[in-house]
Amino acid sequence: MLQFTMASSVDTEGAGTRPAGDTEATGTRPAGDSLCPSTGDPGSDAALLPDLNEMRLLETLKSRFLEQKIYTYIGDILVAMNPFRELPMYGTEVSDAYGSKPLVSLPPHIFAVADRAYSALQGGSGGSPRNQCVVISGDSGAGKTESTKLILKHLVRRSRGSPRLGQQILQVNPLLEAFGNAQTVMNQNSSRFGKYIQLRFRRGAVRGAKINEYLLEKSRVSHQDAGEKNFHVFYYILYGSGREEKELYGLLDPAMYRYIGGECAEHDQWVSGYQRVCNAMRMVGFQDQEELDLKVVLSGILSLGNITFEPQEAGGVSVSAPTVGWLKAAAGQFGVQEKDLNNCLVYTTSLTRGESIRRLHTKQQAEDSRDSIARVIYARVFGWIVTKVNELLVGDLDAKADFQEIGILDIFGFENFSVNRFEQLCINLANEQLQNFFNHHIFLMEQQHYREEGINQETVAFKNNQAVLDLFLARPWGILCILDEQSSFPLASDRLFVEKLTSSCRANPHFEQVRGKDPGFIILHYAGKVRYTVVGFLEKNRDTLPVNIQGLFMDSVTSLLSVLFTASISRTGTLTPVQRDKVLISQERGPSRKMSVGAQFRKSLSVLMEKMYSSSPHFIRCIKPNTQKDPLVLETEVILNQLRYNGLMETVRIRRDGFSWRPTFQEFAGRFGILLRRPDVDFNRESCLEVLRGAQLSGWHCGVTRLFFKYWHQDQLAQCVSRLTAAAVVLQKRYKALLCRRKYRKLLRELKSQQERLRLEQEKEAVRERERLQEEQRRAASRPVPAPRKRPPPSKVCSGSGDGPSRQPVPRPRSQLVELSPFDNPKPDSPRVSLTAVHGKEGKKKMLQRRKTLLWFQETQADKVRSDGAFPTWLHGMISRRDAENFLADKGLGDFLIRISQNRAGYILTYKGPARCRHYMIDVQPNGCYVILGEDQAHWTLEALVRYYHGTGIQPYGEVLAEPCGAVANWEPDSEELKFLTKTLSLGNENAPSPYPAPCPRDEPGPQRIHQASADVPKKKLPETSPPRPHLHRSIRIAMQEIQQASTLSAKNTGT
């Protein structure tokens, strides 16, 4: 236990004096300074409890939890209790409130933590702009993963970045959960890996993201303890895919697969999960072939797990006859030869002095080899998914450009099972590291600053776990170092490892020896004692892969497997695919000598800690209220244990009595010097004190080189700056209004002057006209009046050479449209006006963009949208927004049409609402999927998108599509028009005459042109709701037949 002292007096000059304006820190908060003054909720901040003790803190959390107030502040730290149910407190209106209103006026919420991090990223919370990180910690099942989703949701909405990128970031979590989460005895959706999400910002908007993954529990692929399940994705693909998909992937009855432990009852959950993960892959940007290869490889892992072995009389083993079909199926799904896969399972080949030596496997070795292949393939698939996601989330951010980051750490919680293995050792080591990081920022840094500045206060004791970290990580006698040393010896065993560990660590008070049948040891963690069973430690740490298996899959005809086994593994365990055409940004090169799993994990933890120590942290402590995962149920002992080993009581004390915000004079004056309302403020101690006297804060202290503030002072000063900013905005508004009024008056004077000059000119002209008329009258009176002559008929006004037909005057265009194209539905005999003639350079730019869009439609979209040689009735081509609204003017509520965008490669859905038409942008992603911006559903075709929204409302108004608005006069663009489009685009002549006649009026049918054009062009069929799939590989079909026959025969024999 460490203790540090904070006295009630302050020596600001090092001589025991206190300057005027400084107030003495009493550890209590002044009246009216509540973190949430408008809520009237005194329990919202546990640091303000008048009589602080363990039971009072527990009762405060319990009473708030029963009122469905699951969030409580401890100063600037958020405590979140998992309600195990959905609560209506995470809508967009709530997110907008925390992004627009002062946080001090709102109750505790996870959105408040996200918003503080976003404001601090831009220097809005009392410091200079700096990278931020949000550390979410707690036990397994405490709600860390859901908290991560909510923070991402708020930050994406708050930053107002690219809608497509925002949706991709939000869809990453469902995808990684499917492949990295599983059901355990403690949590139905437990993260079996750690992830650190880096959101990259520039000018306040999200411009990219990166995912860092840590220590996937790949042993779960081949083995699960009682009450636990495999990774979610296996159940998704077995129970969620349709019959045709199962035939394509080579899947049979789920009860037949050993790796998932037989039949499961939660079918609806797996079906919806499969739909979510497929949609997430399309939303993120995976290509269809990549998705197909991924599912086939997963099916191959399941088939591989069903292969069994039987010993041979001559030595060695062979695949048992009933499971030969599974061997064929796995070979076909992996894209390798059946014989080669069989050889990898039954023997190992090694080279010694240039000679090939074959070592036959025992039955146990063959089963270990089978499970090892399954684990390695799955781990590399997961690593490839993370790498692919990072490639797709790069965004438009230049690698050389400066950007800011908010990191979100969602890592596995502390675990203590009945049997704890190598994975639990690494997981608990990571949690020890996070607890040490928490202690460093909350206790140790504060202690160091008090000591340097000569400030003393009351004693606050806390539990330092640095000794436990040294037990794991110290060289050369730490647990991981001894494990690596023993793993390098071929003849070493788990029992020898325990003996070596016991002899080295026996004197450590955090290590205890265990005597029993299975070798093991006990570690006294910050959260309690944990007993580790050492069986399999060395093998898991080595993680060896035979050379013949590596070569087998490098030559696979399945492109995904070839990529996976051609890739290298970095020092942190990250998969880095080989890129021949381009070089990945910040790509790590793998080491020449393979590192152990423990060494990779230690290196990855070191890199993670470097990132976090270089950022400003925000802490969220998640609490699990009960062990049965019942909604809104409390178990006092469970909560109390978590409060104790997380050190929350000590945290409350130091947040109440200490000074969590400690800026230097230069940092403070640089941020809040504007409150002095004068230019050229000196960044020194006197300027800081002057600011504080003007702000009328209380409870702060001034040290030798820095200021010491309570956690609420940041909000108070931020409010002062906000008031000053609002006043500046008012001044700017009034000054701009004054300038505008002056400009308006000047223009008004010029206008009046012009009008006066015009009036004088008109008067002069009128005088001249009167004089001319008088002169003509005078001359006419002096001459005799001639006889009247018959006037000739008026000549016809001709155009061109003068022999053409008469024309009506050309009216002024109603809108500034580009020269009409085959997709514009023009009225008969309407004049064509060139955009360049109307807008000049701007018009030419729009015309070129319009041509690019039409060319994009012709080359990439026409064949996908067309069905039986014709376009659907709801497609109106490239028409303007005004025309679309005119078409829907007399239509019913919910009617719609889709038009090609005029300025981007995409579509626009126009919907007839109750009061007005709404226009939704349809984005075409690089993988060919169609997404309405703002929605989280991707569709392979426009037809599928229309069908989906016939039954599901478009957010945020929940508008459901009704009837399509047909094209004018049954007009449909056909192949002849596309030929004309190609011709005009290639020639660059936008005013070329159309080869087809003008469309008929609205009330007259015009099928003649359509049938005539369709007769010359072969009809093309509309694609299915998903892209065409390749036929099932012949070897997989044969293997499935053999497996079904063997299963039927086995069932008959069992019945007999």
PDB file of all heavy atoms in Angstrom, residues 35 87 96 195 252 313 450 863 898 974:
ATOM      1  N   LEU A  35     -21.526  19.386 -10.203  1.00  0.00           N
ATOM      2  CA  LEU A  35     -21.237  18.988 -11.577  1.00  0.00           C
ATOM      3  C   LEU A  35     -22.502  19.002 -12.418  1.00  0.00           C
ATOM      4  O   LEU A  35     -22.454  19.257 -13.613  1.00  0.00           O
ATOM      5  CB  LEU A  35     -20.604  17.581 -11.580  1.00  0.00           C
ATOM      6  CG  LEU A  35     -20.050  17.082 -12.892  1.00  0.00           C
ATOM      7  CD1 LEU A  35     -18.908  17.977 -13.339  1.00  0.00           C
ATOM      8  CD2 LEU A  35     -19.568  15.648 -12.776  1.00  0.00           C
ATOM      9  N   LEU A  87     -32.222   0.165 -22.390  1.00  0.00           N
ATOM     10  CA  LEU A  87     -32.857   1.329 -21.779  1.00  0.00           C
ATOM     11  C   LEU A  87     -33.017   2.423 -22.821  1.00  0.00           C
ATOM     12  O   LEU A  87     -32.141   2.610 -23.675  1.00  0.00           O
ATOM     13  CB  LEU A  87     -32.008   1.849 -20.607  1.00  0.00           C
ATOM     14  CG  LEU A  87     -31.836   0.900 -19.416  1.00  0.00           C
ATOM     15  CD1 LEU A  87     -30.925   1.523 -18.377  1.00  0.00           C
ATOM     16  CD2 LEU A  87     -33.189   0.544 -18.804  1.00  0.00           C
ATOM     17  N   ASP A  96     -27.528  14.279 -29.432  1.00  0.00           N
ATOM     18  CA  ASP A  96     -27.455  15.687 -29.834  1.00  0.00           C
ATOM     19  C   ASP A  96     -27.451  16.617 -28.624  1.00  0.00           C
ATOM     20  O   ASP A  96     -26.794  17.667 -28.633  1.00  0.00           O
ATOM     21  CB  ASP A  96     -28.628  16.026 -30.753  1.00  0.00           C
ATOM     22  CG  ASP A  96     -28.542  15.322 -32.098  1.00  0.00           C
ATOM     23  OD1 ASP A  96     -27.431  14.901 -32.468  1.00  0.00           O
ATOM     24  OD2 ASP A  96     -29.588  15.183 -32.761  1.00  0.00           O
ATOM     25  N   LYS A 195      -9.271  -5.120 -28.302  1.00  0.00           N
ATOM     26  CA  LYS A 195      -9.163  -4.214 -29.451  1.00  0.00           C
ATOM     27  C   LYS A 195      -9.004  -2.774 -28.974  1.00  0.00           C
ATOM     28  O   LYS A 195      -9.557  -2.378 -27.942  1.00  0.00           O
ATOM     29  CB  LYS A 195     -10.377  -4.333 -30.383  1.00  0.00           C
ATOM     30  CG  LYS A 195     -11.711  -3.944 -29.801  1.00  0.00           C
ATOM     31  CD  LYS A 195     -12.790  -4.031 -30.880  1.00  0.00           C
ATOM     32  CE  LYS A 195     -14.170  -3.698 -30.336  1.00  0.00           C
ATOM     33  NZ  LYS A 195     -14.711  -4.749 -29.469  1.00  0.00           N
ATOM     34  N   LEU A 252     -23.690 -29.233 -43.728  1.00  0.00           N
ATOM     35  CA  LEU A 252     -24.748 -30.205 -43.476  1.00  0.00           C
ATOM     36  C   LEU A 252     -25.437 -29.860 -42.159  1.00  0.00           C
ATOM     37  O   LEU A 252     -25.368 -28.729 -41.687  1.00  0.00           O
ATOM     38  CB  LEU A 252     -24.147 -31.612 -43.453  1.00  0.00           C
ATOM     39  CG  LEU A 252     -23.524 -32.084 -44.787  1.00  0.00           C
ATOM     40  CD1 LEU A 252     -22.811 -33.402 -44.609  1.00  0.00           C
ATOM     41  CD2 LEU A 252     -24.587 -32.185 -45.868  1.00  0.00           C
ATOM     42  N   GLU A 313      -1.466 -51.118 -38.228  1.00  0.00           N
ATOM     43  CA  GLU A 313      -0.623 -52.195 -37.704  1.00  0.00           C
ATOM     44  C   GLU A 313       0.854 -51.934 -37.988  1.00  0.00           C
ATOM     45  O   GLU A 313       1.725 -52.268 -37.183  1.00  0.00           O
ATOM     46  CB  GLU A 313      -1.032 -53.535 -38.345  1.00  0.00           C
ATOM     47  CG  GLU A 313      -2.435 -53.984 -37.951  1.00  0.00           C
ATOM     48  CD  GLU A 313      -2.797 -55.311 -38.597  1.00  0.00           C
ATOM     49  OE1 GLU A 313      -1.947 -55.836 -39.351  1.00  0.00           O
ATOM     50  OE2 GLU A 313      -3.900 -55.797 -38.333  1.00  0.00           O
ATOM     51  N   TYR A 450       2.479  16.904  -6.482  1.00  0.00           N
ATOM     52  CA  TYR A 450       2.405  17.495  -5.146  1.00  0.00           C
ATOM     53  C   TYR A 450       3.808  17.605  -4.542  1.00  0.00           C
ATOM     54  O   TYR A 450       4.160  18.604  -3.910  1.00  0.00           O
ATOM     55  CB  TYR A 450       1.527  16.647  -4.229  1.00  0.00           C
ATOM     56  CG  TYR A 450       0.068  16.627  -4.610  1.00  0.00           C
ATOM     57  CD1 TYR A 450      -0.726  15.521  -4.331  1.00  0.00           C
ATOM     58  CD2 TYR A 450      -0.518  17.712  -5.247  1.00  0.00           C
ATOM     59  CE1 TYR A 450      -2.065  15.498  -4.681  1.00  0.00           C
ATOM     60  CE2 TYR A 450      -1.851  17.699  -5.596  1.00  0.00           C
ATOM     61  CZ  TYR A 450      -2.620  16.579  -5.321  1.00  0.00           C
ATOM     62  OH  TYR A 450      -3.944  16.557  -5.671  1.00  0.00           O
ATOM     63  N   ASP A 863     -26.702  -2.571 -67.180  1.00  0.00           N
ATOM     64  CA  ASP A 863     -27.004  -4.003 -67.229  1.00  0.00           C
ATOM     65  C   ASP A 863     -27.506  -4.531 -65.897  1.00  0.00           C
ATOM     66  O   ASP A 863     -28.287  -5.484 -65.859  1.00  0.00           O
ATOM     67  CB  ASP A 863     -25.751  -4.775 -67.655  1.00  0.00           C
ATOM     68  CG  ASP A 863     -25.384  -4.507 -69.109  1.00  0.00           C
ATOM     69  OD1 ASP A 863     -26.278  -4.059 -69.852  1.00  0.00           O
ATOM     70  OD2 ASP A 863     -24.219  -4.727 -69.484  1.00  0.00           O
ATOM     71  N   ILE A 898     -36.962   6.834 -58.516  1.00  0.00           N
ATOM     72  CA  ILE A 898     -35.511   6.869 -58.373  1.00  0.00           C
ATOM     73  C   ILE A 898     -34.935   7.508 -59.621  1.00  0.00           C
ATOM     74  O   ILE A 898     -35.328   7.178 -60.741  1.00  0.00           O
ATOM     75  CB  ILE A 898     -34.932   5.456 -58.156  1.00  0.00           C
ATOM     76  CG1 ILE A 898     -35.417   4.889 -56.812  1.00  0.00           C
ATOM     77  CG2 ILE A 898     -33.403   5.479 -58.191  1.00  0.00           C
ATOM     78  CD1 ILE A 898     -34.930   3.484 -56.521  1.00  0.00           C
ATOM     79  N   ASP A 974     -33.888   2.685 -73.596  1.00  0.00           N
ATOM     80  CA  ASP A 974     -33.549   1.354 -74.087  1.00  0.00           C
ATOM     81  C   ASP A 974     -32.139   1.363 -74.670  1.00  0.00           C
ATOM     82  O   ASP A 974     -31.406   2.332 -74.571  1.00  0.00           O
ATOM     83  CB  ASP A 974     -34.583   0.881 -75.124  1.00  0.00           C
ATOM     84  CG  ASP A 974     -34.720   1.875 -76.267  1.00  0.00           C
ATOM     85  OD1 ASP A 974     -33.753   2.634 -76.504  1.00  0.00           O
ATOM     86  OD2 ASP A 974     -35.780   1.885 -76.906  1.00  0.00           O
TER      87      ASP A 974
END
